[in-house]
Amino acid sequence: MSCDACNAIELRKRKGVGHARLVQIGEPVKVRNMGQPAVIMTHYVCEECGVKWQYEDDRRDVYAGWSIEA
């Protein structure tokens, strides 16, 4: 179950904002498809509720942004 701050995060919205209790896990990873610019994936966990998040930074995709990891 996620906390109120996590529930307020807009999913799949480019340049969406997280919240203060998200802690980055590891380093951002650059993913590159053949002939395409790199997409940067960054993983987070909420200190309050433990939900794991992924942020996809892709300027070409308006639906990139926050998603909950399975």
Side-chain angles (χ1 to χ4, degrees):
M1 185 153 195
S2 56
C3 64
D4 290 340
C6 282
N7 287 333
I9 294 175
E10 293 184 73
L11 299 176
R12 296 289 181 197
K13 182 177 180 187
R14 197 161 111 346
K15 295 188 180 183
V17 179
H19 67 78
R21 303 277 301 187
L22 292 177
V23 176
Q24 184 174 317
I25 301 171
E27 295 296 319
V29 176
K30 287 184 181 180
V31 179
R32 187 181 304 271
N33 291 327
M34 291 180 59
Q36 299 292 323
V39 175
I40 300 171
M41 308 295 274
T42 309
H43 301 272
Y44 297 85
V45 65
C46 177
E47 287 183 317
E48 187 171 332
C49 66
V51 170
K52 292 183 180 177
W53 290 91
Q54 173 178 289
Y55 186 79
E56 179 181 344
D57 186 2
D58 183 352
R59 290 182 234 157
R60 298 166 293 128
D61 184 355
V62 296
Y63 298 109
W66 291 103
S67 61
I68 295 175
E69 292 186 354

